[in-house]
Amino acid sequence: MRPIDLASRSGIALKRAFHAQRARRLVSTRHYSNGPLLPPTYETLYNKYSEVRRVLGAQRLTLAEKILYSHLDNVEESLLTNTTGGRDIRGKANLKLKPDRVNMQDASAQMALLQFMSCNLPQTAIPASIHCDHLIVGARGADDDLSAGIKTNHEVFDFLESAGKKYGIDFWPPGAGIIHQTVLENYALPGLMMLGTDSHSPNAGGLCTITIGVGGADAVEALVGAPWELKAPKILGVRLTGKLNDWVSPKDVILHLAGLLTVRGGTGYIVEYFGPGVETLSCTGMATACNMGAEIGATTSIFPFTEASARYLRATRREQAATNAELFQNFPGAGSAEDSFFKFKADEGAQYDELIEINLSELEPHINGPFTPDLSTPLSKFKDTVKQEQWPEKLSAGLIGSCTNSSYEDMTRVESMVKAAEEAGLKPTADFYITPGSEQIRATLERDGTLETFTEAGGIVLSNACGPCIGQWQRQDGVEKGTLNAILTSYNRNFRGRNDGNPDTMNFLASPEIVTAMAFAGSTTFNPITDSLTTPDGKEFRFPAPHGLEGPKTPFVAGKEVFKVQSQPPNPNVEVAISPSSERLALLEPFDAFPQGDLTGLRVLVKITGKCTTDTISAAGPWLKYKGHLPNISANTLNTAINAATGEVNVAYDLDGSKHTIPDLAKKWKEQGQPWLVVAEHNYGEGSAREHAALQPRYLGARVIVCKSFARIHETNLKKQGVVPLTFAEEADYDKIEAGDEVETVGLYDMLKNGGQGEVSLRVKKASGDVVDIKTKHAVSKDQAGFILAGSALNLLAKGA
């Protein structure tokens, strides 16, 4: 590959940014005035917070705003540009932020690191970590699955480990745990801002950390020390009152909220929880609610720092972090006004753009699905709904754990249920799988006897990895593709075909407690609050209300030595392991720059109807093995999309009427030099932070995506890879453009040259010769216009812009 050398041309500017960022990391801890000692992270945070207060004065701020604005590269520029003197920031300001760290899971880390390597820097500008969690297939049990996964994926793991050593990035080996649980246990701290290359990274918001899911190009921006841009989110306040009843869990808070807001309702918002009910929740329970905020499209979610947060820090052997957080909140700073203190909660009188109140005392368990995480049904109505919708009444499998619900509290509450059923002589009648979220969780549950309870009941404990949640599941029950069946999981996402590749598997999301109860019953119509099971001796058994412990009585144990983090300073002598003949890893070639004028001669590759998620655009499961090889993984592009004209899945028609799969036609057009666009409906790119869903179309020749609306992360990813995302000014215009139509842009080039200012329309020439003009909208910022003109964000970094 021809490297993108940051030292060439005007790239020296980026080199300076990198070294300046590194210098900030080396600042030693020091005293402020005659006050207490602050660690460097909080020293930096307080300095920035003081600037925010200087710029905004006594303006009341939410917790999210305080943390987010205190990570701005230039506070005054970001908060006072086009914001009416700072009074109209939300939804308008372009925030240029300096995160504290970046966390990457192994599937997305491959492409992120390949891009970072192109920058020819000796180390990352901020701390970072790699977590090997996505490539282990769940099948027979932890030991067998992990051994098979390491054997199958050793080439990728070797690459990631060697990159970690070369650039000084923490490396968590396969079996160490799922990224979000591991980050919560080790890196999340109140007041920090992190980026994660996974949409469920906001899990860390349960520990009062602003964590935002991003694509690999976004991660690279932060890793090289450049500011990362975000349109200032609006703030959606969720006020919690009351206290959860016995059968209700924190999972039900977000399941209920998803039903209220839908998968698009949180787009452009940070969800901030507050109110007296917050104090009744565990830290890991709060993390569960933040984790699934991705399912409503939220930028991120966050909770205040509570006593439960401090208890969790101590339980995870971070006593000093708990002390530092308390010290920081009481640090006097300059002056004695209340605003001089940085409290990990919203200011008194802070206003929210939207407000929802949930009385925890009145909340009941919910079950969401199938095929979408926002189809929410209260447990009391689920039996009737199953019968009315003719969903399967037989449950084929119950799966608990994962990054969303594998906490000590979750597992010990389930343990109380399993023990009660066991005493009555009952075992699960559906397959029952348990996925620990981390080695720390697994080892502690093993020490305290919880895992033994599960296995004695017939449960299968899978590896500390994502497994079935992301499609890495080899079912052992003989359910073949095309067989209608129902599973219940405590996971966070349930798109069609996601878990096992079978589009007829209905995944219903619920709390671990409800999943477990139904696994024992083997039925989707069972309600453990009202219904009974018959024991082997003919007696009626009703589950007692679950109970458990927020955390272990003694601190968590770290687990096996082989799963511990490899943390080391950067070593320039390490050679990153990539074989020239690899089918799984390939160095990147820069994309071509935008042409010197509007786009002409585009053709509509396919017009899509219905939900088009990142799973639709770039499937996971068996395709995860090609995450580091763009040409190979591009063969799955849009391969489960539905053709709007015919209703066929993965079918597109060439201009001569010949039938192809969508990726095959895209590849053919790429080889012919035919640029193309896609037409789609609402929330295009919903789901994960999967950067490949932008990279693959770009690689195959896509220049524009036009739809009714975009999911936030995917829209940003498209711009970073040089694809122009446009939305219909009038949604009805979706009906005016069809596959095969010839399209040229009007005003696009001027808009890009003017830094995102200006209108763009599409001139559509039909096969009949008729011409239709379609007005569009865009959300391209000045920096993003530069990315598109350069061909990609990575190309622009080479110029030091």
Side-chain angles (χ1 to χ4, degrees):
M1 160 186 185
R2 52 189 176 97
I4 299 175
D5 187 354
L6 294 179
S8 65
R9 293 171 289 178
S10 56
I12 192 66
L14 192 61
K15 285 282 193 181
R16 288 172 179 159
F18 166 77
H19 290 300
Q21 182 81 5
R22 184 183 178 204
R24 284 193 287 271
R25 289 172 60 187
L26 299 176
V27 173
S28 61
T29 302
R30 68 170 186 260
H31 289 273
Y32 273 68
S33 304
N34 296 317
L37 198 68
L38 285 179
T41 299
Y42 283 153
E43 177 181 328
T44 302
L45 184 64
Y46 188 82
N47 281 339
K48 285 292 185 180
Y49 175 67
S50 298
E51 288 187 51
V52 172
R53 283 302 182 191
R54 176 182 61 79
V55 170
L56 298 182
Q59 184 172 320
R60 304 293 80 197
L61 299 176
T62 64
L63 169 62
E65 288 177 303
K66 284 197 281 188
I67 298 176
L68 200 61
Y69 299 168
S70 296
H71 283 85
L72 287 167
D73 183 45
N74 185 317
V75 172
E76 192 166 322
E77 177 184 344
S78 285
L79 298 184
L80 296 183
T81 302
N82 300 321
T83 63
T84 321
R87 296 187 297 276
D88 199 14
I89 295 170
R90 300 176 191 171
K92 293 192 175 181
N94 287 319
L95 307 179
K96 295 187 177 182
L97 299 152
K98 285 298 189 76
D100 294 299
R101 68 175 299 119
V102 171
N103 308 304
M104 301 173 283
Q105 42 96 333
D106 51 358
S108 55
Q110 295 172 60
M111 196 57 67
L113 289 170
L114 287 168
Q115 291 177 84
F116 179 76
M117 288 166 60
S118 298
C119 296
N120 290 332
L121 292 173
Q123 68 182 83
T124 61
I126 58 175
S129 58
I130 300 165
H131 303 260
C132 297
D133 60 358
H134 271 55
L135 300 179
I136 308 300
V137 176
R140 301 182 182 278
D143 291 342
D144 288 347
D145 296 346
L146 182 59
S147 178
I150 292 174
K151 182 179 179 180
T152 301
N153 300 291
H154 70 89
E155 181 182 4
V156 172
F157 295 147
D158 289 349
F159 163 69
L160 296 174
E161 182 179 8
S162 62
K165 290 178 178 177
K166 184 176 185 68
Y167 300 115
I169 302 172
D170 284 359
F171 176 77
W172 293 84
I178 304 172
I179 178 173
H180 312 305
Q181 182 66 33
T182 305
V183 167
L184 188 71
E185 293 170 353
N186 295 275
Y187 300 127
L189 291 172
L192 262 63
M193 180 191 170
M194 302 189 292
L195 301 182
T197 61
D198 190 283
S199 60
H200 295 110
S201 297
N203 187 80
L207 198 43
C208 197
T209 306
I210 287 281
T211 309
I212 300 174
V214 298
D218 282 336
V220 172
E221 274 191 287
L223 290 174
V224 303
W228 177 74
E229 186 179 34
L230 176 71
K231 177 71 73 175
K234 295 182 179 180
I235 312 294
L236 191 157
V238 179
R239 186 172 187 267
L240 302 181
T241 60
K243 185 178 182 180
L244 296 172
N245 291 314
D246 289 336
W247 275 99
V248 187
S249 81
K251 180 68 164 276
D252 296 303
V253 175
I254 186 61
L255 292 176
H256 174 57
L257 191 62
L260 294 177
L261 292 172
T262 78
V263 292
R264 292 191 286 135
T267 303
Y269 286 84
I270 291 178
V271 177
E272 179 169 316
Y273 295 88
F274 69 104
V278 167
E279 299 294 334
T280 69
L281 301 177
S282 66
C283 178
T284 52
M286 293 187 283
T288 293
C290 290
N291 179 297
M292 271 196 70
E295 309 318 317
I296 59 174
T299 301
T300 192
S301 302
I302 193 167
F303 277 84
F305 186 73
T306 67
E307 286 299 319
S309 312
R311 288 195 297 272
Y312 184 75
L313 285 172
R314 295 186 181 99
T316 51
R317 305 179 307 281
R318 292 181 287 171
E319 294 86 355
Q320 188 59 50
T323 301
N324 290 342
E326 188 64 28
L327 171 69
F328 179 66
Q329 290 189 94
N330 291 289
F331 179 72
S336 58
E338 182 65 22
D339 287 349
S340 69
F341 295 88
F342 192 123
K343 299 291 186 180
F344 292 127
K345 62 180 182 179
D347 291 340
E348 193 71 32
Q351 298 296 307
Y352 296 93
D353 296 283
E354 302 285 345
L355 183 62
I356 294 174
E357 184 159 332
I358 298 176
N359 186 337
L360 301 179
S361 301
E362 297 175 355
L363 189 64
E364 67 170 298
H366 280 64
I367 300 175
N368 289 26
F371 304 139
T372 185
D374 59 352
L375 182 57
S376 186
T377 307
L379 177 63
S380 60
K381 298 180 180 179
F382 193 69
K383 178 178 181 179
D384 291 341
T385 303
V386 168
K387 292 181 177 295
Q388 178 182 333
E389 299 294 333
Q390 298 184 337
W391 294 334
E393 295 188 28
K394 179 184 176 181
L395 184 70
S396 60
L399 303 96
I400 65 171
S402 83
C403 67
T404 319
N405 277 113
S406 65
S407 69
Y408 194 88
E409 180 179 43
D410 291 326
M411 295 296 107
T412 55
R413 281 171 62 85
V414 169
E415 180 186 23
S416 73
M417 298 171 60
V418 174
K419 282 183 173 179
E422 187 178 37
E423 289 174 4
L426 295 171
K427 290 185 180 296
T429 58
D431 288 351
F432 186 47
Y433 293 92
I434 304 96
T435 301
S438 70
E439 172 61 10
Q440 182 167 272
I441 281 287
R442 188 211 63 78
T444 306
L445 292 173
E446 182 180 58
R447 179 197 68 187
D448 296 348
T450 306
L451 290 188
E452 184 179 3
T453 300
F454 294 156
T455 55
E456 286 183 351
I460 299 173
V461 178
L462 299 175
S463 179
N464 311 323
C466 301
C469 182
I470 61 161
Q472 295 284 54
W473 185 23
Q474 282 184 359
R475 298 185 66 159
Q476 305 296 304
D477 55 4
V479 174
E480 297 180 355
K481 192 170 183 177
T483 302
L484 183 66
N485 72 108
I487 63 174
L488 241 74
T489 79
S490 69
Y491 301 160
N492 46 33
R493 190 165 284 162
N494 59 350
F495 299 151
R496 186 184 293 271
R498 176 178 173 87
N499 301 105
D500 59 359
N502 180 7
D504 293 306
T505 294
M506 293 185 173
N507 177 4
F508 297 92
L509 307 173
S511 69
E513 298 91 329
I514 298 302
V515 173
T516 300
M518 289 194 176
F520 272 87
S523 170
T524 59
T525 61
F526 180 71
N527 183 340
I529 300 176
T530 60
D531 299 343
S532 300
L533 298 175
T534 303
T535 65
D537 58 4
K539 296 179 181 179
E540 292 296 302
F541 168 79
R542 181 172 291 181
F543 280 104
H547 60 86
L549 298 173
E550 177 186 279
K553 293 180 180 178
T554 56
F556 288 95
V557 294
K560 297 177 182 178
E561 188 72 26
V562 68
F563 296 134
K564 290 185 178 178
V565 62
Q566 298 178 24
S567 187
Q568 63 284 308
N571 184 349
N573 296 318
V574 172
E575 184 175 345
V576 178
I578 301 179
S579 168
S581 60
S582 174
E583 290 294 311
R584 300 195 58 177
L585 296 163
L587 294 172
L588 298 174
E589 289 287 344
F591 292 129
D592 291 337
F594 196 88
Q596 299 294 311
D598 268 286
L599 299 172
T600 59
L602 298 174
R603 291 283 184 174
V604 178
L605 177 75
V606 64
K607 180 178 178 180
I608 297 166
T609 188
K611 188 185 285 281
C612 191
T613 70
T614 49
D615 282 29
T616 309
I617 308 166
S618 175
W623 289 96
L624 286 173
K625 63 185 177 182
Y626 294 129
K627 284 285 189 178
H629 198 295
L630 185 54
N632 283 350
I633 198 170
S634 293
N636 78 2
T637 304
L638 289 163
N639 69 353
T640 56
I642 301 173
N643 187 307
T646 67
E648 297 168 294
V649 175
N650 192 24
V651 172
Y653 292 87
D654 205 344
L655 302 179
D656 62 3
S658 58
K659 185 176 179 179
H660 303 264
T661 67
I662 297 174
D664 280 352
L665 183 57
K667 182 181 179 182
K668 179 182 178 183
W669 283 9
K670 170 185 170 67
E671 292 169 349
Q672 294 174 348
Q674 172 63 62
W676 49 268
L677 72 154
V678 166
V679 178
E681 296 197 85
H682 274 300
N683 215 26
Y684 182 84
E686 170 193 345
S688 74
R690 199 166 297 165
E691 181 182 35
H692 294 74
L695 275 166
Q696 291 171 216
R698 177 70 164 104
Y699 171 77
L700 290 172
R703 300 311 302 248
V704 172
I705 306 292
V706 59
C707 61
K708 296 179 180 179
S709 65
F710 285 97
R712 176 193 65 85
I713 300 177
H714 186 63
E715 182 177 11
T716 299
N717 285 345
L718 288 169
K719 298 171 193 173
K720 289 289 173 74
Q721 301 305 336
V723 180
V724 181
L726 301 172
T727 57
F728 293 105
E730 299 292 337
E731 288 186 11
D733 287 346
Y734 169 84
D735 297 324
K736 296 180 180 179
I737 184 170
E738 304 295 337
D741 286 350
E742 184 176 349
V743 178
E744 66 178 275
T745 63
V746 179
L748 174 57
Y749 185 67
D750 287 342
M751 180 273 284
L752 295 173
K753 294 294 287 185
N754 291 327
Q757 300 299 311
E759 296 183 353
V760 179
S761 62
L762 301 178
R763 183 157 294 151
V764 181
K765 185 177 181 180
K766 316 294 287 185
S768 64
D770 293 341
V771 175
V772 179
D773 287 331
I774 295 177
K775 292 183 178 180
T776 68
K777 297 179 180 179
H778 70 86
V780 177
S781 71
K782 180 179 179 180
D783 285 356
Q784 291 166 345
F787 301 154
I788 296 169
L789 286 171
S792 71
L794 189 59
N795 290 357
L796 189 62
L797 288 178
K799 300 176 182 177

